[in-house]
Every structure is written in C-alpha cells, then in structure tokens.
Short mmCIF file of all heavy atoms in Angstrom, two decimals:
data_model
loop_
_atom_site.label_atom_id
_atom_site.label_comp_id
_atom_site.label_asym_id
_atom_site.label_seq_id
_atom_site.Cartn_x
_atom_site.Cartn_y
_atom_site.Cartn_z
N GLN A 36 0.83 -1.20 0.01
CA GLN A 36 0.00 0.00 -0.01
C GLN A 36 0.87 1.25 0.00
O GLN A 36 1.86 1.32 0.70
CB GLN A 36 -0.90 0.04 1.24
CG GLN A 36 -1.95 -1.05 1.28
CD GLN A 36 -2.84 -0.90 2.52
OE1 GLN A 36 -2.62 0.00 3.35
NE2 GLN A 36 -3.85 -1.74 2.62
N PRO A 37 0.48 2.26 -0.78
CA PRO A 37 1.19 3.54 -0.69
C PRO A 37 0.79 4.29 0.57
O PRO A 37 -0.37 4.21 1.00
CB PRO A 37 0.72 4.28 -1.94
CG PRO A 37 -0.60 3.70 -2.29
CD PRO A 37 -0.58 2.26 -1.82
N THR A 38 1.71 4.98 1.16
CA THR A 38 1.42 5.79 2.35
C THR A 38 2.41 6.96 2.40
O THR A 38 3.23 7.13 1.46
CB THR A 38 1.48 4.94 3.62
OG1 THR A 38 0.93 5.69 4.72
CG2 THR A 38 2.91 4.53 3.96
N THR A 39 2.37 7.73 3.48
CA THR A 39 3.27 8.86 3.65
C THR A 39 4.04 8.68 4.97
O THR A 39 3.41 8.39 5.99
CB THR A 39 2.48 10.19 3.69
OG1 THR A 39 1.71 10.28 2.51
CG2 THR A 39 3.44 11.37 3.76
N CYS A 40 5.32 8.89 4.91
CA CYS A 40 6.14 8.84 6.13
C CYS A 40 5.77 10.01 7.04
O CYS A 40 5.63 11.14 6.58
CB CYS A 40 7.63 8.91 5.79
SG CYS A 40 8.71 8.97 7.21
N MET A 41 5.58 9.72 8.31
CA MET A 41 5.28 10.78 9.28
C MET A 41 6.42 11.04 10.25
O MET A 41 6.22 11.47 11.38
CB MET A 41 3.97 10.45 10.02
CG MET A 41 2.76 10.54 9.08
SD MET A 41 1.17 10.53 9.95
CE MET A 41 1.22 12.08 10.82
N ARG A 42 7.63 10.78 9.80
CA ARG A 42 8.80 11.03 10.63
C ARG A 42 9.16 12.52 10.65
O ARG A 42 9.58 13.05 11.68
CB ARG A 42 9.97 10.20 10.14
CG ARG A 42 11.30 10.47 10.85
CD ARG A 42 11.18 10.23 12.31
NE ARG A 42 12.46 10.23 12.97
CZ ARG A 42 13.17 11.28 13.32
NH1 ARG A 42 12.70 12.49 13.00
NH2 ARG A 42 14.33 11.17 13.93
N CYS A 43 9.02 13.22 9.52
CA CYS A 43 9.27 14.66 9.49
C CYS A 43 8.35 15.25 8.43
O CYS A 43 7.54 14.60 7.86
CB CYS A 43 10.72 14.96 9.20
SG CYS A 43 11.24 14.78 7.49
N ALA A 44 8.51 16.54 8.17
CA ALA A 44 7.58 17.25 7.29
C ALA A 44 8.00 17.25 5.84
O ALA A 44 7.38 17.98 5.06
CB ALA A 44 7.39 18.66 7.81
N VAL A 45 9.05 16.52 5.45
CA VAL A 45 9.36 16.42 4.04
C VAL A 45 8.21 15.74 3.28
O VAL A 45 7.87 16.12 2.18
CB VAL A 45 10.69 15.65 3.81
CG1 VAL A 45 10.95 15.42 2.34
CG2 VAL A 45 11.84 16.42 4.43
N GLY A 46 7.58 14.73 3.92
CA GLY A 46 6.39 14.13 3.31
C GLY A 46 6.69 13.08 2.27
O GLY A 46 5.99 13.00 1.26
N CYS A 47 7.69 12.27 2.49
CA CYS A 47 8.09 11.25 1.50
C CYS A 47 7.01 10.19 1.36
O CYS A 47 6.41 9.75 2.33
CB CYS A 47 9.41 10.60 1.91
SG CYS A 47 10.84 11.71 1.91
N GLY A 48 6.81 9.76 0.13
CA GLY A 48 5.89 8.65 -0.15
C GLY A 48 6.56 7.32 0.03
O GLY A 48 7.70 7.11 -0.39
N TYR A 49 5.86 6.40 0.71
CA TYR A 49 6.38 5.05 0.95
C TYR A 49 5.46 4.01 0.33
O TYR A 49 4.27 4.27 0.07
CB TYR A 49 6.41 4.77 2.46
CG TYR A 49 7.60 5.32 3.23
CD1 TYR A 49 7.70 5.12 4.60
CD2 TYR A 49 8.60 6.02 2.59
CE1 TYR A 49 8.77 5.61 5.31
CE2 TYR A 49 9.67 6.55 3.32
CZ TYR A 49 9.74 6.31 4.68
OH TYR A 49 10.79 6.79 5.38
N LEU A 50 5.99 2.86 0.11
CA LEU A 50 5.21 1.65 -0.11
C LEU A 50 5.43 0.73 1.06
O LEU A 50 6.60 0.44 1.40
CB LEU A 50 5.66 0.95 -1.43
CG LEU A 50 5.43 1.75 -2.72
CD1 LEU A 50 6.06 1.05 -3.89
CD2 LEU A 50 3.95 2.03 -2.96
N GLN A 51 4.37 0.28 1.70
CA GLN A 51 4.49 -0.56 2.87
C GLN A 51 3.79 -1.90 2.63
O GLN A 51 2.75 -1.97 1.99
CB GLN A 51 3.94 0.12 4.11
CG GLN A 51 2.49 0.54 3.99
CD GLN A 51 2.03 1.40 5.15
OE1 GLN A 51 2.84 1.86 5.98
NE2 GLN A 51 0.73 1.65 5.26
N THR A 52 4.40 -2.94 3.14
CA THR A 52 3.87 -4.28 2.96
C THR A 52 3.40 -4.83 4.31
O THR A 52 4.12 -4.79 5.31
CB THR A 52 4.95 -5.23 2.38
OG1 THR A 52 5.43 -4.65 1.17
CG2 THR A 52 4.37 -6.60 2.09
N GLU A 53 2.20 -5.33 4.30
CA GLU A 53 1.56 -5.82 5.50
C GLU A 53 2.14 -7.18 5.96
O GLU A 53 2.37 -8.07 5.12
CB GLU A 53 0.09 -5.95 5.29
CG GLU A 53 -0.72 -6.35 6.52
CD GLU A 53 -2.22 -6.40 6.20
OE1 GLU A 53 -2.60 -6.06 5.09
OE2 GLU A 53 -2.97 -6.83 7.07
N ALA A 54 2.30 -7.35 7.25
CA ALA A 54 2.75 -8.62 7.77
C ALA A 54 1.63 -9.66 7.75
O ALA A 54 0.45 -9.33 7.76
CB ALA A 54 3.25 -8.48 9.22
N ASP A 55 2.01 -10.94 7.74
CA ASP A 55 0.99 -11.99 7.76
C ASP A 55 0.14 -11.96 9.00
O ASP A 55 -1.04 -12.31 9.00
CB ASP A 55 1.65 -13.36 7.60
CG ASP A 55 2.24 -13.55 6.21
OD1 ASP A 55 1.68 -12.99 5.24
OD2 ASP A 55 3.27 -14.22 6.11
N ASP A 56 0.78 -11.60 10.14
CA ASP A 56 0.09 -11.66 11.43
C ASP A 56 -0.63 -10.34 11.77
O ASP A 56 -1.23 -10.22 12.84
CB ASP A 56 1.07 -12.01 12.55
CG ASP A 56 2.24 -11.03 12.66
OD1 ASP A 56 2.22 -9.99 11.97
OD2 ASP A 56 3.18 -11.34 13.37
N ASP A 57 -0.57 -9.35 10.86
CA ASP A 57 -1.24 -8.06 11.09
C ASP A 57 -0.74 -7.32 12.31
O ASP A 57 -1.41 -6.40 12.79
CB ASP A 57 -2.76 -8.23 11.18
CG ASP A 57 -3.40 -8.53 9.84
OD1 ASP A 57 -2.73 -8.28 8.83
OD2 ASP A 57 -4.53 -9.05 9.83
N GLU A 58 0.42 -7.68 12.81
CA GLU A 58 0.89 -7.02 14.03
C GLU A 58 1.86 -5.88 13.71
O GLU A 58 2.03 -4.97 14.49
CB GLU A 58 1.59 -8.02 14.96
CG GLU A 58 0.57 -9.01 15.61
CD GLU A 58 1.27 -9.89 16.60
OE1 GLU A 58 2.51 -9.76 16.77
OE2 GLU A 58 0.60 -10.75 17.17
N HIS A 59 2.52 -5.95 12.59
CA HIS A 59 3.44 -4.86 12.25
C HIS A 59 3.69 -4.89 10.76
O HIS A 59 3.41 -5.85 10.05
CB HIS A 59 4.76 -4.98 13.01
CG HIS A 59 5.49 -6.26 12.74
ND1 HIS A 59 5.14 -7.47 13.28
CD2 HIS A 59 6.56 -6.52 11.90
CE1 HIS A 59 5.97 -8.43 12.82
NE2 HIS A 59 6.82 -7.87 11.97
N ILE A 60 4.28 -3.83 10.23
CA ILE A 60 4.61 -3.72 8.83
C ILE A 60 5.98 -4.38 8.66
O ILE A 60 6.93 -4.10 9.37
CB ILE A 60 4.64 -2.25 8.42
CG1 ILE A 60 3.26 -1.64 8.60
CG2 ILE A 60 5.12 -2.08 6.98
CD1 ILE A 60 3.23 -0.14 8.61
N VAL A 61 6.11 -5.24 7.66
CA VAL A 61 7.35 -5.99 7.52
C VAL A 61 8.32 -5.37 6.52
O VAL A 61 9.51 -5.69 6.55
CB VAL A 61 7.06 -7.45 7.11
CG1 VAL A 61 6.31 -8.17 8.20
CG2 VAL A 61 6.31 -7.50 5.77
N ASP A 62 7.85 -4.51 5.65
CA ASP A 62 8.79 -3.91 4.67
C ASP A 62 8.32 -2.52 4.26
O ASP A 62 7.10 -2.31 4.06
CB ASP A 62 8.89 -4.80 3.43
CG ASP A 62 9.94 -4.28 2.46
OD1 ASP A 62 11.09 -4.11 2.92
OD2 ASP A 62 9.60 -4.04 1.31
N VAL A 63 9.22 -1.61 4.14
CA VAL A 63 8.92 -0.26 3.69
C VAL A 63 9.98 0.13 2.64
O VAL A 63 11.16 -0.07 2.82
CB VAL A 63 8.95 0.75 4.85
CG1 VAL A 63 8.82 2.18 4.30
CG2 VAL A 63 7.81 0.49 5.80
N SER A 64 9.53 0.70 1.53
CA SER A 64 10.42 1.18 0.51
C SER A 64 9.92 2.53 0.00
O SER A 64 8.73 2.87 0.20
CB SER A 64 10.51 0.17 -0.66
OG SER A 64 9.24 -0.04 -1.23
N GLY A 65 10.78 3.28 -0.65
CA GLY A 65 10.35 4.54 -1.24
C GLY A 65 9.39 4.29 -2.42
O GLY A 65 9.53 3.32 -3.15
N ASP A 66 8.43 5.23 -2.55
CA ASP A 66 7.42 5.11 -3.62
C ASP A 66 7.93 5.87 -4.86
O ASP A 66 7.92 7.11 -4.85
CB ASP A 66 6.09 5.65 -3.14
CG ASP A 66 4.97 5.51 -4.16
OD1 ASP A 66 5.26 5.08 -5.29
OD2 ASP A 66 3.80 5.82 -3.81
N PRO A 67 8.29 5.18 -5.92
CA PRO A 67 8.83 5.88 -7.09
C PRO A 67 7.80 6.74 -7.79
O PRO A 67 8.17 7.62 -8.59
CB PRO A 67 9.31 4.72 -8.02
CG PRO A 67 8.52 3.54 -7.57
CD PRO A 67 8.27 3.71 -6.09
N ASN A 68 6.50 6.51 -7.52
CA ASN A 68 5.44 7.30 -8.17
C ASN A 68 5.02 8.51 -7.35
O ASN A 68 4.11 9.23 -7.78
CB ASN A 68 4.23 6.39 -8.44
CG ASN A 68 4.55 5.29 -9.41
OD1 ASN A 68 5.20 5.53 -10.42
ND2 ASN A 68 4.06 4.09 -9.12
N HIS A 69 5.63 8.69 -6.20
CA HIS A 69 5.22 9.82 -5.36
C HIS A 69 5.98 11.09 -5.81
O HIS A 69 7.20 11.08 -5.92
CB HIS A 69 5.55 9.53 -3.89
CG HIS A 69 4.80 10.38 -2.93
ND1 HIS A 69 5.10 11.71 -2.71
CD2 HIS A 69 3.72 10.10 -2.12
CE1 HIS A 69 4.25 12.22 -1.80
NE2 HIS A 69 3.40 11.24 -1.45
N PRO A 70 5.24 12.19 -6.08
CA PRO A 70 5.89 13.39 -6.64
C PRO A 70 6.81 14.11 -5.67
O PRO A 70 7.65 14.91 -6.09
CB PRO A 70 4.69 14.30 -7.00
CG PRO A 70 3.56 13.83 -6.15
CD PRO A 70 3.76 12.35 -5.96
N THR A 71 6.70 13.82 -4.38
CA THR A 71 7.59 14.50 -3.41
C THR A 71 8.98 13.93 -3.48
O THR A 71 9.96 14.69 -3.63
CB THR A 71 7.01 14.33 -1.99
OG1 THR A 71 5.80 15.03 -1.89
CG2 THR A 71 8.01 14.91 -0.95
N ASN A 72 9.16 12.64 -3.36
CA ASN A 72 10.50 12.05 -3.22
C ASN A 72 10.90 11.12 -4.33
O ASN A 72 12.05 10.71 -4.41
CB ASN A 72 10.61 11.34 -1.87
CG ASN A 72 9.60 10.23 -1.71
OD1 ASN A 72 8.41 10.43 -1.96
ND2 ASN A 72 10.05 9.07 -1.25
N GLY A 73 9.95 10.71 -5.18
CA GLY A 73 10.30 9.86 -6.34
C GLY A 73 11.02 8.55 -5.96
O GLY A 73 11.84 8.07 -6.74
N GLY A 74 10.72 8.04 -4.79
CA GLY A 74 11.33 6.79 -4.37
C GLY A 74 12.50 6.94 -3.43
O GLY A 74 12.94 5.94 -2.79
N VAL A 75 13.06 8.13 -3.29
CA VAL A 75 14.16 8.34 -2.35
C VAL A 75 13.62 8.27 -0.93
O VAL A 75 12.49 8.75 -0.64
CB VAL A 75 14.84 9.69 -2.62
CG1 VAL A 75 15.94 9.96 -1.59
CG2 VAL A 75 15.35 9.76 -4.04
N LYS A 76 14.40 7.76 -0.01
CA LYS A 76 13.94 7.64 1.38
C LYS A 76 15.13 7.76 2.28
O LYS A 76 16.27 7.60 1.90
CB LYS A 76 13.21 6.32 1.63
CG LYS A 76 14.07 5.12 1.51
CD LYS A 76 13.30 3.83 1.67
CE LYS A 76 14.20 2.62 1.73
NZ LYS A 76 15.04 2.46 0.52
N CYS A 77 14.86 8.06 3.60
CA CYS A 77 15.91 7.96 4.61
C CYS A 77 15.56 6.81 5.53
O CYS A 77 14.42 6.33 5.54
CB CYS A 77 16.06 9.25 5.38
SG CYS A 77 14.74 9.60 6.58
N GLN A 78 16.51 6.38 6.29
CA GLN A 78 16.29 5.18 7.13
C GLN A 78 15.50 5.46 8.40
O GLN A 78 14.96 4.54 8.99
CB GLN A 78 17.64 4.54 7.50
CG GLN A 78 18.30 3.84 6.32
CD GLN A 78 17.40 2.80 5.71
OE1 GLN A 78 16.85 1.93 6.40
NE2 GLN A 78 17.20 2.88 4.40
N ARG A 79 15.39 6.74 8.80
CA ARG A 79 14.75 7.02 10.09
C ARG A 79 13.27 6.65 10.03
O ARG A 79 12.76 5.93 10.91
CB ARG A 79 14.90 8.50 10.46
CG ARG A 79 16.34 8.95 10.51
CD ARG A 79 16.39 10.45 10.67
NE ARG A 79 15.48 11.09 9.77
CZ ARG A 79 15.06 12.38 9.92
NH1 ARG A 79 15.45 13.07 10.95
NH2 ARG A 79 14.22 12.90 9.06
N GLY A 80 12.58 7.13 9.03
CA GLY A 80 11.15 6.82 8.91
C GLY A 80 10.90 5.34 8.69
O GLY A 80 9.94 4.76 9.18
#
C-alpha cells in the first residue's frame, strides 16, 4: 500500500507491505510514483 512517512515534514511517499500476522509492517520502501520524493527515502522513517 502507498502511504506517507510521518517522521518529518518532508512528506516522503512510501510503499509498505503488511505482515501476515497483522501485528506490524514488515517492509517499507520509497514510492517511485510519489511526486515528493520519487522513491528516495531515509532510514529514520
């Protein structure tokens, strides 16, 4: 699912993958289709 990082106000777009157990997100990557960051991300968020 596409989402937005809420670590700071840059507003980077993420793609997040749901865990099988619904307890936490297992993978996050930059969203190449997001006009803010075009897939670039930092590790903090």
Side-chain angles (χ1 to χ4, degrees):
Q36 294 183 356
T38 192
T39 305
C40 176
M41 291 193 67
R42 174 57 169 80
C43 77
V45 174
C47 295
Y49 279 179
L50 296 174
Q51 57 188 11
T52 305
E53 184 179 355
D55 291 329
D56 57 10
D57 287 340
E58 290 184 1
H59 61 283
I60 298 162
V61 295
D62 185 56
V63 172
S64 59
D66 183 353
N68 296 317
H69 200 285
T71 295
N72 59 312
V75 178
K76 65 184 186 304
C77 74
Q78 288 304 309
R79 303 171 315 161

